Amino acid sequence: MTLPPGSALPAIVQTVRFLRDPTRVLEGNRRRYGPVFRMRLVGFPPEVFVATAAHAERIYRMDANGGRAGEVRRMFLEPIVGQQSLLSLDGDQWMRHRKLVNRPLHGRAIAGYRDEIADIAVADIERWPRGEPIDLRSRMQDITLVVILRLVFGIRDAARLARLRKLLPELADVAGSVALTVLPPGLRSRMQDSALLRRVRFLPTTRFVRLRAAVDEIVYDEIARRRATPDPEATDVLSRLLEARDEDGEPLSDLELRDELIALLEAGHETTATSLAWTFERLVRTPAVFDRLREELARDDEQYLDAVIKEALRVRPVVFAATRLLDSPIELGGHQVPAGWLAAPVISLVHRDPDVFPAPDEFRPERFLGEDAARTQKSWMPFGGGRRYCAGAQLALLEMRVIIREVLDRVTLTTHDPAPEAERIRHVTLVPARGGRVVAHDLARATC
Ligand code: HEM
């Protein structure tokens, strides 16, 4: 059996092209080589990409045995999320964490969050300037950051909340900056650990270490305070994790709790904010859908809202691939993929499969309503798949539902530019190149 087909261009050329326009490169490769193709990206093992739900499913099935997602993510995320979180662990350790973290992030545990998410959103929307362009992605980041700090970290103290609201975006920015991520991991950690280099202020590692230390000080102090005075009524995720015990009756250590909190923030804050920004970016450019959504919400029917959210996550999935590192070889589409390779279901390509989603570039929430909905099920994977399926998917969908409703209850949004915003790569996500720019108008004034 042969290796999957792919470009013979040098890795550096493939990488530069990919970073400039990932969707176009991936689409181009699918057209040229079919639904299973290989690429070389600088600094990473050889990688196979797949573009159909059936092939993606085969890769997700490796989660039980032979596919490591944690090791892949550590290549990007270890400096910020550490080694002891759901994002970065594999094997039995990962399973122990997953069981403990799943409980506070599911079903009834988060159902009670609705009102608090709405209050956080309303407080922010009230402050939006009216009649001038705003960058929706950063507005949404503000909202989803406070949601995580209050409902996941359980922070109530206003001064502490304000401090983390300032520090965390700065930390995320420097952690994801090109200057830091291009450094090979070994060199990066030596630079971070060197007392001498830490005095060189302009180095990205110096700024990163300083910010991480400032955040850690607050997070560890919060953990210590809450251990000292547990509140049995508290419903935030940290309070529940402090109570949680594994099968051997062991709690999570302070280090594990720290890594887990930062991982939930890292995985859950920008992804949700960007998905919301894309949803509005699509809505303002598809007036018929926007009008129908308003009408259905006025009737208090959320079915169409759910379809809008699904369609936005389909046509603009923020995480474009759910990558695994292969422990053992796998056969994909008649090709042999060796152990040691990366294997990535490309979510954005699966979501554009024209056999499942006719006219895939159109924003058509109706695909997810009525009889059509059933055949989309296996091919809709914005939250990944297999055992590593997003642990915060229910919370993310709840946030999106509540925040969109609160926005539409208060303002109407318009754009002067009918052209779609381009996709720009940021860390492992695809964000709107102009930040999801819209103009907000007070509802009362706009409708009179
Ligand atoms: C719309 C928003 C979100 C999107 C699109 C999203 C997407 C994803 C994707 C694609 C993965 C990788 C799955 C895989 O490898 O198969 C993932 C993993 C993860 N997500 Fe999300 N996510 C979102 C929101 C959240 C939120 C709100 C949280 C928690 C507060 C969260 C926590 C996690 C965690 C902990 C993982 C790692 C799970 C594991 O490996 O066991 N995510 N997410």
Side-chain angles (χ1 to χ4, degrees):
M1 236 183 286
T2 56
L3 291 176
S7 166
L9 287 170
I12 181 72
V13 178
Q14 294 192 43
T15 309
V16 170
R17 286 187 174 177
F18 179 74
L19 291 176
R20 227 186 272 145
D21 194 344
T23 306
R24 223 177 77 196
V25 168
L26 293 167
E27 281 281 11
N29 281 343
R30 171 175 55 183
R31 266 197 310 275
R32 209 162 303 131
Y33 305 112
V36 178
F37 56 87
R38 68 166 198 273
M39 280 179 68
R40 276 310 311 244
L41 297 174
V42 171
F44 295 96
E47 181 156 6
V48 63
F49 290 91
V50 304
T52 69
H55 291 121
E57 196 48 46
R58 281 188 52 76
I59 295 176
Y60 291 141
R61 261 189 255 132
M62 302 283 282
D63 283 351
N65 192 4
R68 278 176 284 147
E71 193 163 337
V72 181
R73 299 177 190 150
R74 286 206 300 277
M75 296 178 197
F76 306 93
L77 296 173
E78 184 169 332
I80 185 159
V81 304
Q83 301 178 353
Q84 301 291 327
S85 77
L86 273 190
L87 282 177
S88 45
L89 288 166
D90 284 307
D92 293 347
Q93 285 272 56
W94 166 80
M95 181 59 101
R96 169 174 180 263
H97 277 241
R98 182 81 196 210
K99 283 184 182 156
L100 294 173
V101 179
N102 261 352
R103 267 173 251 148
L105 281 176
H106 271 80
R108 266 188 301 144
I110 61 162
Y113 290 173
R114 189 174 252 271
D115 289 349
E116 194 155 359
I117 296 172
D119 290 346
I120 293 167
V122 172
D124 207 278
I125 300 161
E126 301 292 350
R127 291 199 307 268
W128 294 2
R130 306 301 201 248
E132 58 186 78
I134 52 173
D135 170 345
L136 259 192
R137 186 167 158 267
S138 62
R139 301 304 338 144
M140 293 298 156
Q141 275 178 279
D142 235 30
I143 298 175
T144 58
L145 177 60
V146 179
V147 168
I148 299 248
L149 289 177
R150 291 245 209 105
L151 299 176
V152 177
F153 287 44
I155 302 219
R156 298 280 141 190
D157 178 89
R160 186 163 280 223
L161 195 68
R163 179 114 178 94
L164 284 174
R165 276 176 85 171
K166 181 173 172 328
L167 286 173
L168 286 167
E170 287 178 29
L171 179 64
D173 267 354
V174 65
S177 66
V178 178
L180 201 73
T181 40
V182 293
L183 291 174
L187 175 63
R188 190 173 56 206
S189 51
R190 278 201 302 282
M191 286 171 73
Q192 284 169 201
D193 295 343
S194 155
L196 187 68
L197 288 181
R198 283 210 304 266
R199 283 198 228 124
V200 185
R201 293 178 67 89
F202 65 82
L203 287 177
T205 40
T206 305
R207 191 154 171 253
F208 172 73
V209 169
R210 186 179 55 76
L211 284 165
R212 192 182 55 183
V215 168
D216 280 359
E217 193 184 321
I218 303 178
V219 171
Y220 279 122
D221 188 63
E222 187 71 26
I223 294 170
R225 284 194 200 193
R226 306 266 283 283
R227 274 201 203 285
T229 47
D231 173 2
E233 304 293 311
T235 56
D236 60 90
V237 174
L238 174 58
S239 295
R240 288 172 167 148
L241 286 179
L242 282 163
E243 295 297 306
R245 297 292 177 269
D246 64 17
E247 280 157 4
D248 300 324
E250 292 298 321
L252 290 171
S253 69
D254 284 3
L255 173 66
E256 288 173 317
L257 285 167
R258 178 267 173 214
D259 283 2
E260 214 52 89
L261 287 177
I262 300 293
L264 292 175
L265 173 88
E266 188 67 16
H269 155 224
E270 289 202 17
T271 44
T272 312
T274 306
S275 301
L276 281 158
W278 276 125
T279 308
F280 288 112
E281 189 274 349
R282 290 292 78 209
L283 282 172
V284 294
R285 288 172 177 81
T286 328
V289 173
F290 210 170
D291 289 345
R292 179 166 176 196
L293 176 61
R294 280 199 210 92
E295 285 161 22
E296 302 276 352
L297 289 179
R299 276 201 290 274
D300 225 9
D301 188 337
E302 288 203 348
Q303 253 189 60
Y304 194 68
L305 172 61
D306 284 346
V308 165
I309 292 171
K310 281 187 150 180
E311 178 66 344
L313 291 169
R314 178 194 73 81
V315 78
R316 294 290 186 275
V318 292
V319 181
F320 59 88
T323 311
R324 310 291 190 254
L325 178 65
L326 298 178
D327 268 347
S328 44
I330 178 176
E331 183 265 310
L332 286 169
H335 303 285
Q336 182 73 7
V337 184
W341 279 42
L342 297 176
V346 185
I347 296 171
S348 52
L349 292 184
V350 175
H351 283 183
R352 283 188 166 89
D353 183 343
D355 292 339
V356 186
F357 303 107
D361 291 331
E362 282 177 24
F363 187 61
R364 249 196 235 167
E366 287 71 13
R367 306 176 199 275
F368 293 100
L369 295 171
E371 284 171 14
D372 286 353
R375 65 198 193 95
T376 62
Q377 233 165 30
K378 284 195 174 140
S379 299
W380 187 76
M381 52 181 73
F383 297 107
R387 299 212 293 189
R388 307 301 292 244
Y389 180 81
C390 173
Q394 288 193 17
L395 177 59
L397 291 172
L398 177 67
E399 282 184 68
M400 290 185 74
R401 224 173 277 138
V402 174
I403 295 168
I404 293 172
R405 265 204 99 137
E406 295 304 333
V407 170
L408 296 193
D409 274 355
R410 276 160 191 81
V411 289
T412 182
L413 302 173
T414 57
T415 176
H416 296 306
D417 186 355
E421 288 203 25
E423 292 171 331
R424 187 167 59 79
I425 196 163
R426 186 184 142 84
H427 311 183
V428 289
T429 63
L430 292 175
V431 305
R434 279 176 282 126
R437 193 161 312 160
V438 295
V439 178
H441 313 269
D442 274 325
L443 208 49
R445 191 164 308 160
T447 49
C448 65

